[in-house]
Amino acid sequence: KVGVIADRRGGGEILVVGSLVIGFSLMLLSLTQSLVWFYMAYCLGRMAFVGPFQIAVTSAVANWFIHLRGRAMSFAALAHSLGLAVFPIVAFAVIEFWDWRLGWLVIGVFVLLVGVLPNLILMVQRPEDIGLRPYTNVEDRVSNTSDEGDYFDAERSFTRGEALRTPTFWLLVAFSAFIFPVQAGVSLHQAPHLIVRGISMGYAAAAVSAFSLMSAIGGLVFGQLEAKFGAMKSLLVAAVLMSIGAGIMLVVFDVWTAFLASCVFGAGIGGLLTLLPVAWANSFGRQNLGAIRGVTLPVQIIAQAVGPLMSGSLVDVTGDYEVSLILFTFFGICAS
């Protein structure tokens, strides 16, 4: 449903509502008194972030850019990754000097400040909505220009039904099913794993921030690679890096190996977050991208839920993260 709304009305309203829900859920987390309360508040925010935010942001970027779409998407991924790099340190500092409740509250207020008014006032879904055209290469710009002002889209746009009947659609679905347990399972359990391996909480937080910073850099690099090699081949490299990063996590024994694992894995995630939306847009066009992504995101969300649950359950059974990291390394290879 969110994807259809994004196609028809744009992503601005979706991002405003999503920001309100996420900010509210973070404030609720600051009031946690029980595990049930934590689950309810956390799932509310996670649900608003994973679906609406991804569809709204990536479909807006895809609508504005046809040529150099990967490079444009890399800047959106850069902002995402920089936020992931900054906020673990902010949360750690607030918790260290005050308490964890204030940490949730500070992040919630920040989400409301940057997520509501800017999107409400400035967000434009398609260039055509304000009399402009999407960015294309020189040949397309020439061919799309005439004295009469007529204009045709430079890429074919599939309907949702047409997309479902293509092998490419199911290839990308399968890729998502394999790679997103790795992305979420390693990311969310990274700090506990490092602490179990004897890394201090401060260094573990720094490693998580390094992971996010490297994700930002990786996104920029993969945005350039996409222009030269295409989204599919570049996604292959990203999945290989994630698999290698998970493998290095297996042998972490000091701060330096922790940072190495975080940086390699982060670079792969930067490529994944940048290029998968580009692969969908390049394959099926921009007119119905939200509706198509609305069908596929449940696979991604379920995969992201399975990864951390699998990792946590195996830790309960085996006492460490070794088995789950072996599985994640294998999943990364399958995805590539």
Side-chain angles (χ1 to χ4, degrees), residues 66 96 146 189 196 246 263 319:
I66 296 175
E96 189 76 6
S146 68
H189 285 270
V196 166
C263 288

Side-chain angles (χ1 to χ4, degrees), residues 19-38:
S19 297
L20 287 170
V21 172
I22 293 171
F24 180 64
S25 71
L26 291 168
M27 292 179 178
L28 289 177
L29 283 166
S30 72
L31 303 174
T32 298
Q33 300 291 341
S34 67
L35 186 60
V36 173
W37 182 283
F38 173 82

Side-chain angles (χ1 to χ4, degrees), residues 89-140:
I89 296 175
V90 172
F92 172 74
V94 175
I95 293 170
E96 189 76 6
F97 287 101
W98 287 279
D99 61 19
W100 60 269
R101 294 184 186 277
L102 186 60
W104 284 119
L105 192 61
V106 166
I107 297 174
V109 170
F110 190 85
V111 167
L112 293 176
L113 287 176
V114 302
V116 178
L117 281 179
N119 284 310
L120 191 63
I121 297 171
L122 302 175
M123 183 71 167
V124 178
Q125 175 72 2
R126 287 193 177 94
E128 292 91 341
D129 296 340
I130 54 174
L132 300 176
R133 298 174 180 177
Y135 182 75
T136 57
N137 59 31
V138 174
E139 290 78 9
D140 286 332

Side-chain angles (χ1 to χ4, degrees), residues 1-263:
K1 185 65 175 179
V2 170
V4 175
I5 294 172
D7 289 333
R8 292 178 180 174
R9 301 182 60 177
E13 295 177 9
I14 295 171
L15 291 172
V16 168
V17 174
S19 297
L20 287 170
V21 172
I22 293 171
F24 180 64
S25 71
L26 291 168
M27 292 179 178
L28 289 177
L29 283 166
S30 72
L31 303 174
T32 298
Q33 300 291 341
S34 67
L35 186 60
V36 173
W37 182 283
F38 173 82
Y39 281 151
M40 292 176 61
Y42 186 84
C43 289
L44 176 67
R46 187 70 179 171
M47 180 177 62
F49 175 78
V50 172
F53 261 72
Q54 292 202 20
I55 289 176
V57 173
T58 59
S59 65
V61 174
N63 270 288
W64 277 84
F65 292 88
I66 296 175
H67 182 54
L68 299 181
R69 183 176 274 156
R71 187 178 300 177
M73 199 72 72
S74 72
F75 287 109
L78 172 66
H80 174 86
S81 298
L82 289 178
L84 290 176
V86 169
F87 276 100
I89 296 175
V90 172
F92 172 74
V94 175
I95 293 170
E96 189 76 6
F97 287 101
W98 287 279
D99 61 19
W100 60 269
R101 294 184 186 277
L102 186 60
W104 284 119
L105 192 61
V106 166
I107 297 174
V109 170
F110 190 85
V111 167
L112 293 176
L113 287 176
V114 302
V116 178
L117 281 179
N119 284 310
L120 191 63
I121 297 171
L122 302 175
M123 183 71 167
V124 178
Q125 175 72 2
R126 287 193 177 94
E128 292 91 341
D129 296 340
I130 54 174
L132 300 176
R133 298 174 180 177
Y135 182 75
T136 57
N137 59 31
V138 174
E139 290 78 9
D140 286 332
R141 286 201 293 275
V142 172
S143 65
N144 289 345
T145 302
S146 68
D147 293 335
E148 293 77 16
D150 60 331
Y151 168 69
F152 63 90
D153 203 327
E155 64 179 358
R156 179 189 172 189
S157 289
F158 288 67
T159 65
R160 183 164 56 186
E162 290 172 338
L164 284 165
R165 293 191 289 272
T166 64
T168 299
F169 177 91
W170 296 107
L171 172 67
L172 290 173
V173 167
F175 176 82
S176 299
F178 275 109
I179 202 63
F180 279 103
V182 185
Q183 178 260 329
V186 175
S187 298
L188 293 181
H189 285 270
Q190 182 180 180
H193 169 64
L194 296 179
I195 292 170
V196 166
R197 288 297 177 96
I199 310 298
S200 69
M201 189 170 78
Y203 277 121
V208 172
S209 292
F211 149 82
S212 301
L213 181 61
M214 197 63 196
S215 176
I217 297 171
L220 292 176
V221 172
F222 275 100
Q224 303 298 320
L225 292 177
E226 186 272 337
K228 186 172 184 180
F229 300 107
M232 297 297 192
K233 291 179 180 178
S234 303
L235 273 174
L236 184 152
V237 177
V240 168
L241 286 177
M242 290 174 65
S243 181
I244 293 172
I248 297 174
M249 287 275 183
L250 276 167
V251 295
V252 166
F253 59 88
D254 61 10
V255 171
W256 297 111
T257 51
F259 274 89
L260 176 62
S262 295
C263 288

